[in-house]
């Protein structure tokens, strides 16, 4: 749905909250869950879809007649697609995902082929005059990066950018690739993302090579790259890294790196006293969030020092072994409902999200806003007592309130 705030951004939720790797499963989720959410929030106006297409579903969408049938379903239900989550390639629910979620990554040609296919499909689904965005992995899981890896990632991203150029030339549709910084990944922080764009994607030699590839002079090639390559700012990820919302947006603005999408997300946050007897109660509560499906990176702040742990069980093991230590704050990459300021005795990074949405409400930070609480089915039962559709509606309504949008502010 398009909302009446500066820049009139589109707001939706990501369908990666619903299990499904096949096109039939995706279509059922859209026709069931998304339609129910639209009915509650936007009954009389078109409702945008944040579509997650796994590699299998994307491949099946290429079968004769499949795309046309999907377009017809969207049109009949008053839905439109403006963004695709192209981050998880394979299975995303009901089985161990962990660090496999990044594979294939931007070190591998399979990631390029998948992203190319998504770009053409999004172009076919986009309404006229609406630009599209595809969020993707932040290069690679940082432990995988070896010598020459950064250069390889840039080469493959620019190879995909050539496809984005062909998409624009042949369809007239603008599709933007948005790299999504995440803890313990090659692109982890805003500063790392800016450096990569400045030194690898927008550098003079890279622009010249890209211009030669697509037949543009250096100036036109740079203009194209700066409009079609950007970042997806995930509020959970930024908060886990203890970033400041205003500073992150200002840093990207100053460097000319676009924010193609903002993911409206929230993380777990806890404060520890350093006394093992007091903190054990908190650790016991956190253990209930240490599922076997997703990777839950932890960033621990002790004074001005940041200590990173690859997964929540790792952080718990280290903390218990250390015994008494100095007070600290943990932020955990576990997406929790954005309306939940607290989850029982545990806190969240909702204050960070409020700051970011206040900024979005004042000026057009991004044209695409997407709620993405994909961890609904691994939340402890007491924190997901309501129906998933009710939870999604509540998250979107909370977001609209933070943006200062009243009932008449959706069109």
């Amino acid at each position: 749905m398009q909302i009446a705030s500066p820049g009139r951004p589109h707001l939706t939720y990501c369908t990666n909250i619903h299990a499904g790797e096949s096109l039939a499963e995706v279509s059922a989720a859209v026709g069931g869950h998304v339609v129910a959410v639209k009915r509650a929030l936007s009954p009389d106006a078109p409702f945008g879809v944040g579509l997650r297409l796994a590699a299998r579903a994307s491949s099946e969408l290429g079968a004769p007649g499949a795309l046309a049938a999907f377009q017809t379903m969207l049109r009949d239900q008053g839905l439109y697609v403006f963004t695709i989550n192209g981050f998880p390639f394979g299975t995303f629910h009901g089985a161990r995902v962990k660090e496999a979620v990044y594979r294939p990554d931007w070190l591998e040609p399979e990631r390029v082929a998948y992203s190319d296919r998504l770009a053409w499909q999004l172009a076919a689904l986009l309404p006229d005059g609406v630009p599209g965005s595809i969020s993707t992995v932040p290069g690679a899981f940082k432990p995988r990066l070896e010598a020459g890896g950064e250069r390889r990632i840039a080469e493959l991203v620019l190879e995909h950018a050539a496809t984005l150029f062909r998409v624009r030339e042949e369809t007239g549709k603008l599709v933007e690739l948005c790299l999504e910084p995440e803890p313990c990944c090659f692109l982890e922080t805003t500063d790392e993302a800016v450096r990569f764009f400045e030194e690898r994607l927008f550098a003079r030699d890279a622009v010249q090579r890209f211009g030669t590839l697509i037949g543009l002079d250096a100036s036109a090639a740079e203009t194209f790259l700066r409009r079609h390559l950007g970042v997806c700012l995930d509020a959970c990820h930024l908060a886990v890294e203890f970033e400041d919302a205003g500073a992150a947006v200002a840093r990207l603005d100053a460097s000319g790196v676009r924010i193609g999408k903002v993911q409206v997300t929230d993380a777990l946050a806890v404060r520890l006293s350093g006394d093992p007897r007091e903190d054990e109660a908190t650790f016991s509560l956190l253990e209930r969030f240490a599922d076997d499906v997703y990777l839950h990176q932890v960033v621990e702040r002790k004074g001005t020092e940041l200590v990173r742990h690859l997964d929540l069980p790792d952080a718990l093991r280290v903390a218990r072994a250390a015994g008494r230590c100095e007070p600290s704050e943990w932020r955990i990459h576990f997406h929790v409902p954005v309306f939940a300021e607290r989850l029982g005795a545990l806190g969240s990074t909702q204050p960070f999200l409020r700051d970011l949405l206040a900024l979005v409400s004042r000026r057009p930070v991004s044209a695409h806003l997407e709620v993405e609480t994909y961890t609904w089915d691994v939340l402890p039962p007491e924190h997901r007592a309501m129906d998933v559709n009710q939870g999604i509606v509540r998250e979107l309504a909370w977001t609209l309130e933070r943006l200062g949008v009243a009932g008449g502010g959706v069109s």
Side-chain angles (χ1 to χ4, degrees), residues 6-40:
R8 290 182 55 76
H10 299 266
L11 171 66
T12 187
Y13 80 95
C14 185
T15 61
N16 67 352
I17 192 173
H18 309 303
E21 310 305 318
S22 70
L23 180 59
E25 291 168 326
V26 170
S27 298
V30 171
H33 296 293
V34 178
V35 168
V37 172
K38 177 190 186 303
R39 190 179 302 121

Short mmCIF file of all heavy atoms in Angstrom, two decimals, residues 6-40:
data_model
loop_
_atom_site.label_atom_id
_atom_site.label_comp_id
_atom_site.label_asym_id
_atom_site.label_seq_id
_atom_site.Cartn_x
_atom_site.Cartn_y
_atom_site.Cartn_z
N PRO A 6 6.02 11.77 3.52
CA PRO A 6 6.97 12.33 2.55
C PRO A 6 7.51 11.29 1.58
O PRO A 6 8.03 10.26 1.98
CB PRO A 6 8.08 12.88 3.46
CG PRO A 6 7.38 13.25 4.73
CD PRO A 6 6.32 12.19 4.91
N GLY A 7 7.37 11.58 0.28
CA GLY A 7 7.83 10.66 -0.74
C GLY A 7 6.84 9.57 -1.07
O GLY A 7 7.05 8.79 -2.00
N ARG A 8 5.73 9.47 -0.31
CA ARG A 8 4.69 8.47 -0.52
C ARG A 8 5.28 7.07 -0.72
O ARG A 8 5.15 6.47 -1.78
CB ARG A 8 3.80 8.85 -1.70
CG ARG A 8 2.92 10.05 -1.41
CD ARG A 8 1.99 10.40 -2.57
NE ARG A 8 1.16 9.28 -3.01
CZ ARG A 8 0.08 8.84 -2.36
NH1 ARG A 8 -0.29 9.39 -1.23
NH2 ARG A 8 -0.62 7.83 -2.84
N PRO A 9 5.95 6.54 0.30
CA PRO A 9 6.55 5.21 0.16
C PRO A 9 5.49 4.11 0.13
O PRO A 9 4.35 4.30 0.55
CB PRO A 9 7.42 5.09 1.41
CG PRO A 9 6.75 5.96 2.42
CD PRO A 9 6.20 7.12 1.63
N HIS A 10 5.91 2.95 -0.35
CA HIS A 10 5.07 1.76 -0.34
C HIS A 10 5.42 0.96 0.91
O HIS A 10 6.59 0.79 1.24
CB HIS A 10 5.32 0.91 -1.59
CG HIS A 10 5.01 1.62 -2.86
ND1 HIS A 10 3.80 1.54 -3.50
CD2 HIS A 10 5.77 2.46 -3.63
CE1 HIS A 10 3.80 2.26 -4.60
NE2 HIS A 10 5.00 2.84 -4.70
N LEU A 11 4.41 0.47 1.60
CA LEU A 11 4.60 -0.32 2.82
C LEU A 11 3.95 -1.69 2.65
O LEU A 11 2.81 -1.78 2.17
CB LEU A 11 3.98 0.40 4.02
CG LEU A 11 3.91 -0.41 5.33
CD1 LEU A 11 5.32 -0.70 5.89
CD2 LEU A 11 3.08 0.34 6.37
N THR A 12 4.65 -2.72 3.08
CA THR A 12 4.10 -4.07 3.03
C THR A 12 4.79 -4.92 4.10
O THR A 12 5.50 -4.40 4.97
CB THR A 12 4.31 -4.70 1.65
OG1 THR A 12 3.61 -5.95 1.58
CG2 THR A 12 5.77 -4.93 1.33
N TYR A 13 4.56 -6.21 4.04
CA TYR A 13 5.32 -7.15 4.86
C TYR A 13 5.89 -8.20 3.93
O TYR A 13 5.41 -8.41 2.82
CB TYR A 13 4.44 -7.78 5.96
CG TYR A 13 3.56 -8.92 5.51
CD1 TYR A 13 3.97 -10.25 5.64
CD2 TYR A 13 2.30 -8.69 4.93
CE1 TYR A 13 3.16 -11.30 5.23
CE2 TYR A 13 1.49 -9.73 4.52
CZ TYR A 13 1.92 -11.03 4.67
OH TYR A 13 1.13 -12.07 4.26
N CYS A 14 6.95 -8.88 4.40
CA CYS A 14 7.61 -9.87 3.55
C CYS A 14 6.98 -11.24 3.73
O CYS A 14 6.80 -11.71 4.86
CB CYS A 14 9.10 -9.92 3.89
SG CYS A 14 10.01 -11.02 2.79
N THR A 15 6.68 -11.89 2.61
CA THR A 15 6.04 -13.20 2.68
C THR A 15 7.00 -14.31 3.08
O THR A 15 6.59 -15.48 3.12
CB THR A 15 5.37 -13.56 1.33
OG1 THR A 15 6.37 -13.61 0.31
CG2 THR A 15 4.30 -12.55 0.97
N ASN A 16 8.25 -13.98 3.43
CA ASN A 16 9.12 -15.04 3.94
C ASN A 16 8.71 -15.50 5.33
O ASN A 16 9.26 -16.46 5.86
CB ASN A 16 10.60 -14.61 3.93
CG ASN A 16 10.92 -13.49 4.91
OD1 ASN A 16 10.04 -12.90 5.53
ND2 ASN A 16 12.19 -13.16 5.03
N ILE A 17 7.71 -14.85 5.93
CA ILE A 17 7.16 -15.33 7.20
C ILE A 17 6.36 -16.61 6.99
O ILE A 17 6.18 -17.40 7.92
CB ILE A 17 6.26 -14.23 7.84
CG1 ILE A 17 5.91 -14.60 9.29
CG2 ILE A 17 5.01 -14.00 7.02
CD1 ILE A 17 5.17 -13.50 10.03
N HIS A 18 5.91 -16.85 5.74
CA HIS A 18 5.11 -18.03 5.43
C HIS A 18 5.99 -19.10 4.81
O HIS A 18 6.73 -18.83 3.86
CB HIS A 18 3.98 -17.67 4.47
CG HIS A 18 3.17 -16.50 4.90
ND1 HIS A 18 2.51 -16.45 6.11
CD2 HIS A 18 2.90 -15.31 4.28
CE1 HIS A 18 1.89 -15.28 6.22
NE2 HIS A 18 2.11 -14.58 5.13
N ALA A 19 5.91 -20.32 5.31
CA ALA A 19 6.69 -21.41 4.74
C ALA A 19 6.25 -21.68 3.31
O ALA A 19 5.07 -21.55 2.97
CB ALA A 19 6.51 -22.67 5.59
N GLY A 20 7.21 -22.04 2.46
CA GLY A 20 6.86 -22.38 1.08
C GLY A 20 7.99 -22.12 0.12
O GLY A 20 8.42 -20.97 -0.03
N GLU A 21 8.46 -23.17 -0.54
CA GLU A 21 9.55 -23.04 -1.50
C GLU A 21 9.06 -23.15 -2.94
O GLU A 21 9.73 -22.71 -3.87
CB GLU A 21 10.60 -24.13 -1.26
CG GLU A 21 11.06 -24.25 0.18
CD GLU A 21 11.57 -22.94 0.74
OE1 GLU A 21 12.29 -22.23 0.02
OE2 GLU A 21 11.25 -22.63 1.90
N SER A 22 7.88 -23.75 -3.14
CA SER A 22 7.36 -23.94 -4.51
C SER A 22 6.46 -22.77 -4.89
O SER A 22 5.95 -22.03 -4.04
CB SER A 22 6.56 -25.25 -4.59
OG SER A 22 5.35 -25.13 -3.86
N LEU A 23 6.21 -22.63 -6.18
CA LEU A 23 5.32 -21.58 -6.66
C LEU A 23 3.90 -21.81 -6.15
O LEU A 23 3.19 -20.85 -5.80
CB LEU A 23 5.35 -21.52 -8.19
CG LEU A 23 4.45 -20.45 -8.84
CD1 LEU A 23 4.83 -19.06 -8.35
CD2 LEU A 23 4.55 -20.54 -10.36
N ALA A 24 3.47 -23.07 -6.09
CA ALA A 24 2.13 -23.36 -5.59
C ALA A 24 1.99 -22.90 -4.15
O ALA A 24 0.95 -22.34 -3.75
CB ALA A 24 1.85 -24.86 -5.71
N GLU A 25 3.02 -23.12 -3.33
CA GLU A 25 2.98 -22.70 -1.93
C GLU A 25 3.01 -21.19 -1.81
O GLU A 25 2.31 -20.60 -0.97
CB GLU A 25 4.14 -23.33 -1.17
CG GLU A 25 4.01 -24.85 -1.00
CD GLU A 25 5.28 -25.49 -0.51
OE1 GLU A 25 6.39 -25.02 -0.88
OE2 GLU A 25 5.18 -26.48 0.23
N VAL A 26 3.80 -20.53 -2.64
CA VAL A 26 3.85 -19.07 -2.64
C VAL A 26 2.48 -18.50 -3.03
O VAL A 26 1.96 -17.58 -2.39
CB VAL A 26 4.94 -18.55 -3.58
CG1 VAL A 26 4.84 -17.04 -3.76
CG2 VAL A 26 6.33 -18.92 -3.05
N SER A 27 1.90 -19.05 -4.07
CA SER A 27 0.59 -18.57 -4.53
C SER A 27 -0.48 -18.76 -3.47
O SER A 27 -1.34 -17.89 -3.26
CB SER A 27 0.19 -19.31 -5.81
OG SER A 27 1.12 -19.06 -6.86
N ALA A 28 -0.42 -19.90 -2.75
CA ALA A 28 -1.39 -20.15 -1.68
C ALA A 28 -1.22 -19.14 -0.55
O ALA A 28 -2.21 -18.66 0.02
CB ALA A 28 -1.23 -21.57 -1.17
N ALA A 29 0.02 -18.80 -0.22
CA ALA A 29 0.27 -17.82 0.84
C ALA A 29 -0.23 -16.45 0.45
O ALA A 29 -0.85 -15.73 1.25
CB ALA A 29 1.76 -17.77 1.17
N VAL A 30 0.01 -16.08 -0.80
CA VAL A 30 -0.45 -14.77 -1.27
C VAL A 30 -1.98 -14.74 -1.31
O VAL A 30 -2.60 -13.78 -0.83
CB VAL A 30 0.14 -14.45 -2.66
CG1 VAL A 30 -0.50 -13.20 -3.25
CG2 VAL A 30 1.65 -14.28 -2.56
N GLY A 31 -2.58 -15.77 -1.86
CA GLY A 31 -4.02 -15.81 -1.98
C GLY A 31 -4.74 -15.97 -0.65
O GLY A 31 -5.94 -15.65 -0.55
N GLY A 32 -4.03 -16.47 0.37
CA GLY A 32 -4.63 -16.66 1.68
C GLY A 32 -4.21 -15.59 2.66
O GLY A 32 -4.98 -14.68 3.00
N HIS A 33 -2.96 -15.65 3.12
CA HIS A 33 -2.48 -14.72 4.14
C HIS A 33 -2.47 -13.27 3.68
O HIS A 33 -2.98 -12.38 4.37
CB HIS A 33 -1.08 -15.12 4.58
CG HIS A 33 -0.99 -16.44 5.26
ND1 HIS A 33 -1.55 -16.69 6.49
CD2 HIS A 33 -0.42 -17.61 4.87
CE1 HIS A 33 -1.32 -17.95 6.85
NE2 HIS A 33 -0.63 -18.53 5.88
N VAL A 34 -1.88 -13.01 2.51
CA VAL A 34 -1.75 -11.61 2.07
C VAL A 34 -3.12 -10.99 1.83
O VAL A 34 -3.37 -9.84 2.20
CB VAL A 34 -0.86 -11.51 0.81
CG1 VAL A 34 -0.77 -10.07 0.34
CG2 VAL A 34 0.54 -12.06 1.09
N VAL A 35 -4.01 -11.75 1.23
CA VAL A 35 -5.36 -11.23 0.98
C VAL A 35 -6.06 -10.93 2.31
O VAL A 35 -6.77 -9.91 2.44
CB VAL A 35 -6.17 -12.23 0.14
CG1 VAL A 35 -7.65 -11.86 0.12
CG2 VAL A 35 -5.62 -12.27 -1.29
N ALA A 36 -5.86 -11.76 3.33
CA ALA A 36 -6.49 -11.52 4.63
C ALA A 36 -5.94 -10.24 5.26
O ALA A 36 -6.69 -9.45 5.85
CB ALA A 36 -6.25 -12.71 5.55
N VAL A 37 -4.63 -10.02 5.15
CA VAL A 37 -4.03 -8.81 5.69
C VAL A 37 -4.53 -7.58 4.94
O VAL A 37 -4.85 -6.54 5.54
CB VAL A 37 -2.49 -8.91 5.64
CG1 VAL A 37 -1.84 -7.58 6.02
CG2 VAL A 37 -2.00 -10.02 6.56
N LYS A 38 -4.62 -7.67 3.62
CA LYS A 38 -5.16 -6.56 2.82
C LYS A 38 -6.57 -6.21 3.26
O LYS A 38 -6.94 -5.04 3.40
CB LYS A 38 -5.16 -6.92 1.33
CG LYS A 38 -5.77 -5.82 0.45
CD LYS A 38 -5.98 -6.29 -0.97
CE LYS A 38 -6.45 -5.16 -1.88
NZ LYS A 38 -7.69 -4.49 -1.41
N ARG A 39 -7.38 -7.24 3.47
CA ARG A 39 -8.78 -7.03 3.86
C ARG A 39 -8.87 -6.23 5.15
O ARG A 39 -9.76 -5.39 5.32
CB ARG A 39 -9.47 -8.37 4.01
CG ARG A 39 -10.99 -8.29 4.16
CD ARG A 39 -11.59 -9.69 4.28
NE ARG A 39 -11.25 -10.50 3.11
CZ ARG A 39 -10.59 -11.65 3.17
NH1 ARG A 39 -10.18 -12.14 4.36
NH2 ARG A 39 -10.33 -12.33 2.07
N ALA A 40 -7.94 -6.47 6.06
CA ALA A 40 -7.97 -5.78 7.34
C ALA A 40 -7.43 -4.36 7.27
O ALA A 40 -7.91 -3.47 7.98
CB ALA A 40 -7.15 -6.58 8.36
#
